[in-house]
């Protein structure tokens, strides 16, 4: 049994594309017959990753929120979850709730929220873009746990790419000892508990499934995929990835669906 762990945005889906191509869907649906289990390791919320997993016929638990959450796509059962410390989550939201550079999207096990920010006009809200389901509004003047009925396991900070570095510098100056920081997209900075990353979640899933490292194939393209290097038997990396990830690649994947399929076949030694 092999386990194929793939990132989504930039690896399976070109940035800005919301739906998987028929070519990718058809190929991935052939993999179970090759004794290959497929899962995601993505920064996406479960609710946004689930339709993609269902399209590919994935029944293996999927890793979401950069490793903060593992859920079964069939039963919807939560198998693993690591929330942010409650006091830290409150402080982050209060710090940035009125910052004109940022839109905040806290994620719990049950829902995705957006923090009302009066410094940003409604027309500019990120979730007004096509393909988004409208998240639940959260007023930062109200109690976090009472309003969300939980503590978030991820806070996505949406910001202009030119502002991301300064926002991250501010956050690291306050929370370097308590949070992990992930660059999942050029305009997104994801925050999670300090112990969270995709590699730690993948190791948990491998133990859960009794899969050996030499039987694991990983596909990635961004800095938040680097922790997966520690669990990969083979690492497949998109050619547009940063050098920090590319240097670990066993196979470099050129752009396009056919190149991805060819690389997976090469890694699995199938025709």
């Amino acid at each position: 049994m092999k386990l194929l762990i793939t990132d989504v945005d930039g690896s399976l889906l070109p940035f800005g594309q919301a739906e998987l191509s028929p070519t990718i869907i058809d190929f991935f649906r052939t993999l179970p017959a090759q004794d290959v289990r497929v899962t995601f390791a993505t920064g996406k919320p479960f609710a946004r990753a689930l339709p993609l997993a269902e399209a590919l016929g994935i029944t293996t638990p999927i890793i979401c929120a950069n490793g903060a959450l593992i859920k079964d796509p069939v039963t919807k059962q939560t198998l693993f979850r690591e929330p942010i410390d409650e006091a830290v989550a409150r402080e982050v939201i209060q710090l940035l709730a009125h910052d004109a550079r940022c839109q905040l999207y806290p994620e719990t096990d049950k829902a995705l929220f957006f923090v009302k920010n009066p410094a940003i006009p409604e027309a500019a809200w990120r979730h007004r873009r096509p393909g988004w389901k409208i998240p639940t509004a959260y007023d930062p003047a109200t109690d976090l746990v009472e309003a969300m009925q939980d503590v978030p396991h991820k806070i996505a900070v949406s910001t202009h790419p030119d502002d991301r570095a300064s926002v991250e510098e501010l956050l690291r100056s306050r929370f370097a000892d308590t949070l992990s920081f992930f660059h999942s997209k050029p305009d997104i900075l994801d925050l999670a508990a300090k112990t969270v990353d995709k590699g730690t979640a993948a190791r948990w899933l491998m133990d859960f499934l009794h899969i050996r490292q030499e039987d694991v194939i990983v596909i990635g393209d961004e800095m938040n995929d680097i922790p997966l290097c520690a669990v990969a038997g083979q690492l497949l990396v998109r050619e547009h990835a940063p050098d920090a990830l590319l240097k670990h690649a066993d196979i470099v994947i050129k752009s396009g669906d056919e190149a991805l399929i060819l690389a997976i076949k090469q890694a699995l030694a199938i025709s």
Side-chain angles (χ1 to χ4, degrees), residues 92-106:
V92 168
I93 290 172
Q94 292 302 318
L95 178 65
L96 297 179
H98 297 85
D99 191 319
R101 298 172 297 175
C102 303
Q103 296 173 75
L104 301 183
Y105 291 89

Side-chain angles (χ1 to χ4, degrees), residues 8 57 80 121 161 164 193 209 246 268:
V8 177
F80 172 88
R164 189 175 71 174
L209 299 173
L246 276 170
L268 294 171

Side-chain angles (χ1 to χ4, degrees), residues 157-201:
V157 182
S158 174
T159 185
H160 191 279
D162 292 344
D163 292 326
R164 189 175 71 174
S166 62
V167 171
E168 182 173 355
E169 182 179 4
L170 171 63
L171 289 167
R172 284 187 181 275
S173 71
R174 301 276 291 270
F175 306 106
D177 295 333
T178 53
L179 292 176
S180 291
F181 300 81
F182 302 103
H183 298 169
S184 55
K185 292 183 179 180
D187 58 350
I188 289 287
L189 176 65
D190 285 336
L191 311 177
K194 187 67 175 179
T195 54
V196 164
D197 61 49
K198 289 185 180 183
T200 301

Side-chain angles (χ1 to χ4, degrees), residues 62-217:
I62 58 176
I63 299 167
C64 300
N66 290 306
L69 181 70
I70 302 176
K71 295 191 76 160
D72 188 310
V74 178
T75 66
K76 314 304 187 289
Q77 179 185 1
T78 298
L79 303 177
F80 172 88
R81 182 172 181 266
E82 184 69 31
I84 297 171
D85 178 82
E86 181 179 335
V88 172
R90 292 177 191 275
E91 191 175 349
V92 168
I93 290 172
Q94 292 302 318
L95 178 65
L96 297 179
H98 297 85
D99 191 319
R101 298 172 297 175
C102 303
Q103 296 173 75
L104 301 183
Y105 291 89
E107 176 187 333
T108 70
D109 194 17
K110 302 299 183 184
L112 177 66
F113 296 82
F114 79 97
V115 177
K116 293 181 179 179
N117 185 343
I120 298 176
E122 183 173 343
W125 288 349
R126 183 183 183 91
H127 56 271
R128 294 297 186 191
R129 300 178 186 180
W132 273 70
K133 293 182 179 179
I134 303 300
T136 303
Y138 167 66
D139 184 345
T142 63
D143 181 74
L144 177 113
V145 176
E146 182 178 338
M148 297 187 184
Q149 300 183 339
D150 205 344
V151 178
H153 53 255
K154 186 183 88 170
I155 300 174
V157 182
S158 174
T159 185
H160 191 279
D162 292 344
D163 292 326
R164 189 175 71 174
S166 62
V167 171
E168 182 173 355
E169 182 179 4
L170 171 63
L171 289 167
R172 284 187 181 275
S173 71
R174 301 276 291 270
F175 306 106
D177 295 333
T178 53
L179 292 176
S180 291
F181 300 81
F182 302 103
H183 298 169
S184 55
K185 292 183 179 180
D187 58 350
I188 289 287
L189 176 65
D190 285 336
L191 311 177
K194 187 67 175 179
T195 54
V196 164
D197 61 49
K198 289 185 180 183
T200 301
R203 180 68 68 186
W204 187 98
L205 185 59
M206 291 159 59
D207 290 343
F208 180 78
L209 299 173
H210 306 291
I211 300 286
R212 302 172 301 174
Q213 181 169 341
E214 56 263 37
D215 294 323
V216 175
I217 298 162

